[in-house]
PDB file of all heavy atoms in Angstrom:
ATOM      1  N   MET E   1    -100.879  54.282  88.343  1.00  0.00           N
ATOM      2  CA  MET E   1    -101.744  55.346  88.855  1.00  0.00           C
ATOM      3  C   MET E   1    -101.160  56.691  88.830  1.00  0.00           C
ATOM      4  O   MET E   1     -99.943  56.795  89.106  1.00  0.00           O
ATOM      5  CB  MET E   1    -102.227  54.957  90.286  1.00  0.00           C
ATOM      6  CG  MET E   1    -103.110  55.950  90.917  1.00  0.00           C
ATOM      7  SD  MET E   1    -104.772  55.436  90.734  1.00  0.00           S
ATOM      8  CE  MET E   1    -105.670  56.532  91.675  1.00  0.00           C
ATOM      9  N   GLY E   2    -101.826  57.751  88.567  1.00  0.00           N
ATOM     10  CA  GLY E   2    -101.241  59.123  88.533  1.00  0.00           C
ATOM     11  C   GLY E   2    -101.091  59.740  89.869  1.00  0.00           C
ATOM     12  O   GLY E   2    -101.421  59.133  90.906  1.00  0.00           O
ATOM     13  N   GLY E   5    -104.310  61.779  92.690  1.00  0.00           N
ATOM     14  CA  GLY E   5    -105.691  61.212  92.396  1.00  0.00           C
ATOM     15  C   GLY E   5    -106.115  61.348  90.894  1.00  0.00           C
ATOM     16  O   GLY E   5    -107.310  61.124  90.663  1.00  0.00           O
ATOM     17  N   THR E   6    -105.246  61.756  90.049  1.00  0.00           N
ATOM     18  CA  THR E   6    -105.617  61.772  88.638  1.00  0.00           C
ATOM     19  C   THR E   6    -105.177  60.529  87.940  1.00  0.00           C
ATOM     20  O   THR E   6    -104.493  59.686  88.483  1.00  0.00           O
ATOM     21  CB  THR E   6    -105.001  62.996  87.856  1.00  0.00           C
ATOM     22  OG1 THR E   6    -103.547  62.765  87.777  1.00  0.00           O
ATOM     23  CG2 THR E   6    -105.258  64.265  88.663  1.00  0.00           C
ATOM     24  N   ASP E   7    -105.572  60.443  86.679  1.00  0.00           N
ATOM     25  CA  ASP E   7    -105.124  59.392  85.854  1.00  0.00           C
ATOM     26  C   ASP E   7    -103.936  59.774  85.028  1.00  0.00           C
ATOM     27  O   ASP E   7    -103.549  59.066  84.029  1.00  0.00           O
ATOM     28  CB  ASP E   7    -106.161  58.916  84.894  1.00  0.00           C
ATOM     29  CG  ASP E   7    -107.233  58.112  85.573  1.00  0.00           C
ATOM     30  OD1 ASP E   7    -106.909  57.520  86.585  1.00  0.00           O
ATOM     31  OD2 ASP E   7    -108.460  58.082  85.162  1.00  0.00           O
ATOM     32  N   ARG E  89    -112.155  63.772  83.409  1.00  0.00           N
ATOM     33  CA  ARG E  89    -112.515  62.307  83.547  1.00  0.00           C
ATOM     34  C   ARG E  89    -113.992  62.157  83.741  1.00  0.00           C
ATOM     35  O   ARG E  89    -114.612  61.275  83.229  1.00  0.00           O
ATOM     36  CB  ARG E  89    -111.609  61.746  84.669  1.00  0.00           C
ATOM     37  CG  ARG E  89    -111.844  60.143  84.730  1.00  0.00           C
ATOM     38  CD  ARG E  89    -111.095  59.501  85.774  1.00  0.00           C
ATOM     39  NE  ARG E  89    -111.273  60.102  87.125  1.00  0.00           N
ATOM     40  CZ  ARG E  89    -110.398  60.573  87.909  1.00  0.00           C
ATOM     41  NH1 ARG E  89    -109.079  60.595  87.520  1.00  0.00           N
ATOM     42  NH2 ARG E  89    -110.677  61.139  89.033  1.00  0.00           N
ATOM     43  N   ALA E  92    -115.721  62.153  80.580  1.00  0.00           N
ATOM     44  CA  ALA E  92    -115.494  60.990  79.715  1.00  0.00           C
ATOM     45  C   ALA E  92    -115.519  59.677  80.542  1.00  0.00           C
ATOM     46  O   ALA E  92    -114.655  58.805  80.383  1.00  0.00           O
ATOM     47  CB  ALA E  92    -114.146  61.133  78.993  1.00  0.00           C
ATOM     48  N   LYS E  93    -116.497  59.484  81.415  1.00  0.00           N
ATOM     49  CA  LYS E  93    -116.520  58.375  82.372  1.00  0.00           C
ATOM     50  C   LYS E  93    -116.645  57.052  81.595  1.00  0.00           C
ATOM     51  O   LYS E  93    -116.208  55.961  82.111  1.00  0.00           O
ATOM     52  CB  LYS E  93    -117.675  58.447  83.232  1.00  0.00           C
ATOM     53  CG  LYS E  93    -117.516  59.286  84.466  1.00  0.00           C
ATOM     54  CD  LYS E  93    -118.666  59.297  85.410  1.00  0.00           C
ATOM     55  CE  LYS E  93    -118.424  60.174  86.641  1.00  0.00           C
ATOM     56  NZ  LYS E  93    -119.484  60.358  87.525  1.00  0.00           N
ATOM     57  N   ASP E  94    -117.157  57.025  80.364  1.00  0.00           N
ATOM     58  CA  ASP E  94    -117.388  55.797  79.702  1.00  0.00           C
ATOM     59  C   ASP E  94    -116.187  55.145  79.071  1.00  0.00           C
ATOM     60  O   ASP E  94    -116.166  54.017  78.707  1.00  0.00           O
ATOM     61  CB  ASP E  94    -118.475  55.946  78.544  1.00  0.00           C
ATOM     62  CG  ASP E  94    -119.849  56.330  79.122  1.00  0.00           C
ATOM     63  OD1 ASP E  94    -120.073  55.962  80.307  1.00  0.00           O
ATOM     64  OD2 ASP E  94    -120.620  57.045  78.438  1.00  0.00           O
ATOM     65  N   ALA E  95    -115.057  55.987  79.059  1.00  0.00           N
ATOM     66  CA  ALA E  95    -113.789  55.483  78.433  1.00  0.00           C
ATOM     67  C   ALA E  95    -113.192  54.368  79.390  1.00  0.00           C
ATOM     68  O   ALA E  95    -113.334  54.442  80.559  1.00  0.00           O
ATOM     69  CB  ALA E  95    -112.828  56.567  78.265  1.00  0.00           C
ATOM     70  N   VAL E  96    -112.489  53.508  78.773  1.00  0.00           N
ATOM     71  CA  VAL E  96    -111.821  52.465  79.652  1.00  0.00           C
ATOM     72  C   VAL E  96    -110.710  53.170  80.296  1.00  0.00           C
ATOM     73  O   VAL E  96    -109.947  53.976  79.710  1.00  0.00           O
ATOM     74  CB  VAL E  96    -111.277  51.306  78.665  1.00  0.00           C
ATOM     75  CG1 VAL E  96    -110.487  50.295  79.498  1.00  0.00           C
ATOM     76  CG2 VAL E  96    -112.395  50.663  77.938  1.00  0.00           C
ATOM     77  N   LYS E  97    -110.476  52.916  81.613  1.00  0.00           N
ATOM     78  CA  LYS E  97    -109.591  53.641  82.453  1.00  0.00           C
ATOM     79  C   LYS E  97    -108.174  53.670  81.881  1.00  0.00           C
ATOM     80  O   LYS E  97    -107.558  54.734  81.727  1.00  0.00           O
ATOM     81  CB  LYS E  97    -109.527  53.103  83.889  1.00  0.00           C
ATOM     82  CG  LYS E  97    -108.732  53.957  84.815  1.00  0.00           C
ATOM     83  CD  LYS E  97    -108.948  53.460  86.203  1.00  0.00           C
ATOM     84  CE  LYS E  97    -108.251  54.553  87.086  1.00  0.00           C
ATOM     85  NZ  LYS E  97    -108.388  54.313  88.536  1.00  0.00           N
ATOM     86  N   ASP E  98    -107.586  52.508  81.520  1.00  0.00           N
ATOM     87  CA  ASP E  98    -106.108  52.476  81.057  1.00  0.00           C
ATOM     88  C   ASP E  98    -106.079  53.158  79.743  1.00  0.00           C
ATOM     89  O   ASP E  98    -105.089  53.935  79.431  1.00  0.00           O
ATOM     90  CB  ASP E  98    -105.657  51.094  80.940  1.00  0.00           C
ATOM     91  CG  ASP E  98    -105.289  50.525  82.281  1.00  0.00           C
ATOM     92  OD1 ASP E  98    -105.165  51.275  83.325  1.00  0.00           O
ATOM     93  OD2 ASP E  98    -105.242  49.259  82.387  1.00  0.00           O
ATOM     94  N   ALA E  99    -107.042  53.051  78.848  1.00  0.00           N
ATOM     95  CA  ALA E  99    -107.068  53.703  77.586  1.00  0.00           C
ATOM     96  C   ALA E  99    -107.285  55.172  77.730  1.00  0.00           C
ATOM     97  O   ALA E  99    -106.880  55.905  76.830  1.00  0.00           O
ATOM     98  CB  ALA E  99    -108.151  53.100  76.669  1.00  0.00           C
ATOM     99  N   ALA E 100    -107.931  55.652  78.774  1.00  0.00           N
ATOM    100  CA  ALA E 100    -108.212  56.992  79.000  1.00  0.00           C
ATOM    101  C   ALA E 100    -107.012  57.813  79.514  1.00  0.00           C
ATOM    102  O   ALA E 100    -107.001  58.997  79.423  1.00  0.00           O
ATOM    103  CB  ALA E 100    -109.418  57.178  80.010  1.00  0.00           C
ATOM    104  N   LYS E 101    -106.047  57.179  80.171  1.00  0.00           N
ATOM    105  CA  LYS E 101    -104.916  57.857  80.706  1.00  0.00           C
ATOM    106  C   LYS E 101    -104.232  58.804  79.710  1.00  0.00           C
ATOM    107  O   LYS E 101    -104.103  60.005  79.932  1.00  0.00           O
ATOM    108  CB  LYS E 101    -103.896  56.904  81.378  1.00  0.00           C
ATOM    109  CG  LYS E 101    -104.419  56.375  82.622  1.00  0.00           C
ATOM    110  CD  LYS E 101    -103.410  55.441  83.250  1.00  0.00           C
ATOM    111  CE  LYS E 101    -104.000  54.840  84.562  1.00  0.00           C
ATOM    112  NZ  LYS E 101    -103.030  53.965  85.203  1.00  0.00           N
ATOM    113  N   PRO E 102    -103.831  58.335  78.518  1.00  0.00           N
ATOM    114  CA  PRO E 102    -103.256  59.279  77.578  1.00  0.00           C
ATOM    115  C   PRO E 102    -104.193  60.341  77.067  1.00  0.00           C
ATOM    116  O   PRO E 102    -103.847  61.495  76.807  1.00  0.00           O
ATOM    117  CB  PRO E 102    -102.720  58.405  76.392  1.00  0.00           C
ATOM    118  CG  PRO E 102    -102.797  56.974  76.874  1.00  0.00           C
ATOM    119  CD  PRO E 102    -103.768  57.008  78.112  1.00  0.00           C
ATOM    120  N   ALA E 103    -105.472  59.963  77.026  1.00  0.00           N
ATOM    121  CA  ALA E 103    -106.507  60.920  76.539  1.00  0.00           C
ATOM    122  C   ALA E 103    -106.708  61.984  77.527  1.00  0.00           C
ATOM    123  O   ALA E 103    -106.876  63.213  77.259  1.00  0.00           O
ATOM    124  CB  ALA E 103    -107.835  60.167  76.220  1.00  0.00           C
ATOM    125  N   VAL E 104    -106.683  61.597  78.898  1.00  0.00           N
ATOM    126  CA  VAL E 104    -106.805  62.609  79.959  1.00  0.00           C
ATOM    127  C   VAL E 104    -105.608  63.526  79.910  1.00  0.00           C
ATOM    128  O   VAL E 104    -105.822  64.823  79.959  1.00  0.00           O
ATOM    129  CB  VAL E 104    -106.990  61.953  81.287  1.00  0.00           C
ATOM    130  CG1 VAL E 104    -106.994  63.017  82.500  1.00  0.00           C
ATOM    131  CG2 VAL E 104    -108.416  61.224  81.339  1.00  0.00           C
TER     132      VAL E 104
END
Side-chain angles (χ1 to χ4, degrees):
M1 178 96 176
T6 71
D7 286 334
R89 187 178 54 237
K93 280 184 178 176
D94 296 335
V96 177
K97 190 171 184 176
D98 287 340
K101 287 180 182 182
V104 170

